[in-house]
Amino acid sequence: GRASRARRTRSACGNARSRSWATTSSCGGTRGAGRRRYSRGDRRHTGRNGIVPKYWMVTQGPEIFGKTRELGCSRHAFKSTRSKMVYRIEAGDALVFYVTGKKQIAGAVRVTSGIVEESTRIWQSSKKPDELYPFRVDTEPLVELDEEQWLDAEPYHDRMEWTQRWPREHWTLAYQGNLREIPEGDFEVLLADLQEAAQKAPAKA
């Protein structure tokens, strides 16, 4: 009946979401048409193991993101000041990287582990020499771009939901802080454009 058809439709959406994250080219041809609004009653797509993923905007300087790239985007680290928020990150969530100074969106990864706290010095910032970035998580790339392919973040202010809390002339305020949860629709807009940029990249020799 209708109920069983609805269940099959929701299941298919969840499976499609998992497949769309598998490679950078799987949904690169689909661009976000604009902002999508979500209410508390909306049903979000489930990811692997039936867990509803969360989506995070991660703000860091070039040195920190450079170390993550050096590690093949297999791990990332968060500031010690984010002790409460980081433990909300779970395997299956997605991170999108915003690089300060450049003011650009640089890539996206899927989280593959829970948060662990470590004291070994791996990520270092010349602006914060005493910061260990102790909260760390394993990841796998969704989209990796060369620096010249990074996306300017300013135009996305008008296309995304979460940025509307700040006035257009002060759009960078949306990226203050190391970590911020964003709506699924905003993540989809960014992921599609990142994938499109990756597809347009010239083939490496």
Side-chain angles (χ1 to χ4, degrees), residues 72-190:
C73 291
S74 63
R75 297 198 85 196
H76 190 67
F78 303 93
K79 291 180 180 179
S80 56
T81 54
R82 292 293 175 263
S83 58
K84 292 183 179 180
M85 185 174 289
V86 293
Y87 282 104
R88 294 181 55 213
I89 298 174
E90 301 174 289
D93 288 1
L95 312 178
V96 179
F97 296 114
Y98 171 85
V99 181
T100 59
K102 301 289 292 185
K103 298 181 180 179
Q104 291 179 315
I105 306 296
V109 298
R110 181 196 288 114
V111 176
T112 59
S113 75
I115 292 288
V116 295
E117 185 173 357
E118 300 173 345
S119 59
T120 51
R121 186 174 293 280
I122 300 175
W123 287 263
Q124 299 183 65
S125 169
S126 57
K127 292 184 178 181
K128 297 181 181 294
D130 296 327
E131 176 61 68
L132 288 175
Y133 295 86
F135 300 110
R136 299 164 188 183
V137 69
D138 293 340
T139 60
E140 61 184 12
L142 291 174
V143 185
E144 292 182 271
L145 298 177
D146 292 331
E147 187 170 340
E148 61 270 18
Q149 300 170 276
W150 293 358
L151 306 176
D152 291 338
E154 183 175 3
Y156 289 97
H157 182 89
D158 301 318
R159 295 179 60 191
M160 296 194 296
E161 174 72 17
W162 71 282
T163 54
Q164 299 310 299
R165 294 171 54 190
W166 296 271
R168 182 66 171 77
E169 61 270 24
H170 301 300
W171 67 271
T172 56
L173 293 177
Y175 298 90
Q176 285 191 341
N178 184 220
L179 185 65
R180 187 181 301 276
E181 187 174 358
I182 65 174
E184 180 183 20
D186 290 352
F187 168 76
E188 289 177 338
V189 168
L190 292 167

Side-chain angles (χ1 to χ4, degrees), residues 14-15 17-19 21-23 45-53 91-93 110-112 140 142:
N15 291 338
R17 171 59 46 79
S18 298
R19 288 196 300 272
W21 282 17
T23 67
H45 295 292
T46 55
R48 294 177 175 179
N49 302 320
I51 297 173
V52 177
D93 288 1
R110 181 196 288 114
V111 176
T112 59
E140 61 184 12
L142 291 174

Side-chain angles (χ1 to χ4, degrees), residues 16-30 191 195 199:
R17 171 59 46 79
S18 298
R19 288 196 300 272
S20 73
W21 282 17
T23 67
T24 59
S25 60
S26 57
C27 63
T30 303
L191 181 64
Q195 289 174 323
Q199 288 180 330

